Amino acid sequence: MCRNIKTLFNFEPPATEDEIQASALQFVRKLSGFNKPSQANAEAFDRAVAEVAASARRLLTSLHTHAPARDRETEAEKARERSKLRFG
């Protein structure tokens, strides 16, 4: 799993369009193995990013939960603590 792809569901405030787009870009980069595609592959790469972002958007708007929304700053702090424990 790509470590740069963040969970976007059940946060307050909800995921922004930029976060969805960044997640889609990371996913397509991971699948394709390209950080930046060649000109010959740019159109297919960009189309894939747009399609993944659209799918992610649909998914996020259709999911439901009874759990309280998580706070972004609290979750970021937890991630920093886990990183500190793991990497020192």
Side-chain angles (χ1 to χ4, degrees):
M1 184 66 174
C2 185
R3 290 187 186 130
N4 293 332
I5 297 176
K6 308 276 189 275
T7 301
L8 299 178
F9 177 63
N10 197 27
F11 278 100
E12 193 57 47
T16 65
E17 185 58 34
D18 287 343
E19 290 172 316
I20 293 170
Q21 192 69 22
S23 182
L25 177 61
Q26 286 296 326
F27 183 73
V28 172
R29 283 177 173 170
K30 186 70 166 184
L31 285 177
S32 67
F34 298 135
N35 190 31
K36 184 174 185 218
S38 65
Q39 281 186 313
N41 293 320
E43 185 179 333
F45 187 90
D46 293 342
R47 186 175 52 248
V49 171
E51 289 172 1
V52 169
S55 293
R57 209 174 298 107
R58 281 192 304 274
L59 173 66
L60 292 172
T61 58
S62 65
L63 293 174
H64 301 283
T65 184
H66 294 291
R70 296 175 286 181
D71 179 76
R72 290 183 187 282
E73 195 52 45
T74 303
E75 295 300 319
E77 183 59 37
K78 287 179 189 178
R80 284 190 289 273
E81 288 299 317
R82 285 191 304 268
S83 179
K84 227 185 266 186
L85 289 173
R86 184 174 179 189
F87 299 111

